[in-house]
């Protein structure tokens, strides 16, 4: 048992945070810039985003390290700063969590490398696993309670990330991103995902879906994962704040606090044990989700028609 797994098992639902990138863009991060570099350049701004989520009621916050592998950092000529930037990301989040007046867990965010793994691309499984291990070990050094492998789409990259996570003793959570056809970009279905998790060398302590095209689609996927995995699985729902729309040269999200409150209730009713927001989700949305989760207990599993009626 670890702090993270104890928190997970002792609470009916954990409320995660929202969109770190969304928060940083609001504080001046420019499109195309590296959020991870802000762990060194603007740690106060990164901490402010974490603080907003904690004050809104999050039980779990993710580090500002989504693009923290050497392959992603290479886009910003920072491939040799993996250890520095990931340790900083963990310590910033820990400083906020440790100052909270209640238990708040910090999980180390690990996103895709941005490369295709053999046989589809040049990156070997060994190279990918080594890159993930480098990041995982740095996040562990910084003090995270778990590793959060997210927005994955290929079985090979999930396996490589889990192998990398196994360089530490930390529990791992894995979430994939599914589209409107109920598959990831590389064709994984919810049934495929559950079968994949079962054969990994270390089974994730929780798994589910994040990002995607909207909260309604994401909950349909969570239902599919739950049907395939059974009632004892710890499921994760971390959906975008409504539907992405292109307005005035920017991507905006249609979700209101009321919509995200409905989403949080429905996610709980779908069986999710960790509920949070992804792109577009601010502290205001998280506060509405907190209130929704605190107002009542889990209800019956919703029909897809009721999810669509509430969320689109």
């Amino acid at each position: 048992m670890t702090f993270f797994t104890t928190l997970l098992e002792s609470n009916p639902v954990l409320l995660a945070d929202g969109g770190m990138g969304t928060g940083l863009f609001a504080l001046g991060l420019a499109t195309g810039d590296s959020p991870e570099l802000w762990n060194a350049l603007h740690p106060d701004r990164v901490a402010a985003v974490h603080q907003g989520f904690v004050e809104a009621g999050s039980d779990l916050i993710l580090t500002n390290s989504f693009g923290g592998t050497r392959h992603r950092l290479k886009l910003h000529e920072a491939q040799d700063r993996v250890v520095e930037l990931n340790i900083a990301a963990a310590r910033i989040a820990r400083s906020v969590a440790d100052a909270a007046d209640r238990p708040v867990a910090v999980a180390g965010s690990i996103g895709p490398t941005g490369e295709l793994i053999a046989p589809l691309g040049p990156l070997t499984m060994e190279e990918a696993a080594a890159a993930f291990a480098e990041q995982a070990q740095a996040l562990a050094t910084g003090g995270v309670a778990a590793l959060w492998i997210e927005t994955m789409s290929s079985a090979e990259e999930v396996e490589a990330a889990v192998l990398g996570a196994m360089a530490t003793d930390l529990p791992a959570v894995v979430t994939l991103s599914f589209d409107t056809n109920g598959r990831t970009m590389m064709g994984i279905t919810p049934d495929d995902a559950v079968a994949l998790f079962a054969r990994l060398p270390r089974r994730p302590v929780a798994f589910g879906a994040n990002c995607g095209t909207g909260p309604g689609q994401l909950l349909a996927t969570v239902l599919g994962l739950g049907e395939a995995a059974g009632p004892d699985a710890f499921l994760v729902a971390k959906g975008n704040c409504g539907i992405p729309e292109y307005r005035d040269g920017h991507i905006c999200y249609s979700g209101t606090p009321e919509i995200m409150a409905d989403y949080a209730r429905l996610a709980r009713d779908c069986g999710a044990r960790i509920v949070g927001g992804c792109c577009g989700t601010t502290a205001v949305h998280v506060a509405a989700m907190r209130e929704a989760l605190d107002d009542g207990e889990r209800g019956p599993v919703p029909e897809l028609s009721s999810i669509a009626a509430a969320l689109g």
Side-chain angles (χ1 to χ4, degrees), residues 24-90:
L24 294 182
F25 283 129
L27 294 178
L29 181 69
T31 301
D33 286 351
S34 167
E36 292 72 28
L37 288 177
W38 272 33
N39 294 323
L41 295 172
H42 303 293
D44 55 330
R45 300 184 197 180
V46 176
V49 177
H50 289 313
Q51 186 66 40
F53 289 133
V54 170
E55 290 177 358
S58 293
D59 304 305
L60 166 69
I61 56 176
L62 307 187
T63 56
N64 179 37
S65 56
F66 177 83
T69 61
R70 63 174 43 254
H71 299 286
R72 286 290 290 268
L73 290 174
K74 187 177 181 179
L75 299 174
H76 307 280
E77 299 182 348
Q79 63 270 26
D80 296 327
R81 300 179 66 184
V82 172
V83 173
E84 170 204 352
L85 295 174
N86 281 277
I87 289 177

Side-chain angles (χ1 to χ4, degrees), residues 219-246:
L219 292 187
T221 300
V222 170
L223 285 176
L225 290 167
E227 290 173 1
D232 295 331
F234 288 92
L235 299 177
V236 180
K238 207 167 189 290
N240 288 345
C241 184
I243 307 298
E245 301 172 349
Y246 190 75

Side-chain angles (χ1 to χ4, degrees), residues 26-232:
L27 294 178
L29 181 69
T31 301
D33 286 351
S34 167
E36 292 72 28
L37 288 177
W38 272 33
N39 294 323
L41 295 172
H42 303 293
D44 55 330
R45 300 184 197 180
V46 176
V49 177
H50 289 313
Q51 186 66 40
F53 289 133
V54 170
E55 290 177 358
S58 293
D59 304 305
L60 166 69
I61 56 176
L62 307 187
T63 56
N64 179 37
S65 56
F66 177 83
T69 61
R70 63 174 43 254
H71 299 286
R72 286 290 290 268
L73 290 174
K74 187 177 181 179
L75 299 174
H76 307 280
E77 299 182 348
Q79 63 270 26
D80 296 327
R81 300 179 66 184
V82 172
V83 173
E84 170 204 352
L85 295 174
N86 281 277
I87 289 177
R91 288 179 174 168
I92 293 167
R94 276 295 306 270
S95 69
V96 173
D98 291 349
D101 59 1
R102 65 183 194 285
V104 175
V106 174
S109 172
I110 297 176
T113 62
E115 303 285 343
L116 290 175
I117 298 176
L120 297 178
L123 191 64
T124 68
M125 179 66 75
E126 293 75 18
E127 290 168 337
F132 285 124
E134 180 183 31
Q135 183 182 18
Q137 289 170 317
L139 290 167
T141 298
V144 302
L147 297 171
W148 192 279
I149 300 164
E150 59 178 326
T151 325
M152 293 291 169
S153 63
S154 81
E156 294 80 9
E157 190 150 38
V158 169
E159 182 176 357
V162 169
L163 287 171
M166 289 173 63
T168 77
D169 293 327
L170 295 172
V173 175
V174 179
T175 63
L176 288 81
S177 182
F178 296 82
D179 62 21
T180 52
N181 294 315
R183 296 174 179 268
T184 70
M185 183 174 62
M186 302 304 290
I188 298 175
T189 67
D191 284 351
D192 296 333
V194 171
L196 168 63
F197 299 142
R199 67 174 183 265
L200 289 172
R202 181 185 291 175
R203 185 178 175 87
V205 297
F207 56 82
N210 78 293
C211 205
T213 56
Q217 167 271 324
L218 183 131
L219 292 187
T221 300
V222 170
L223 285 176
L225 290 167
E227 290 173 1
D232 295 331

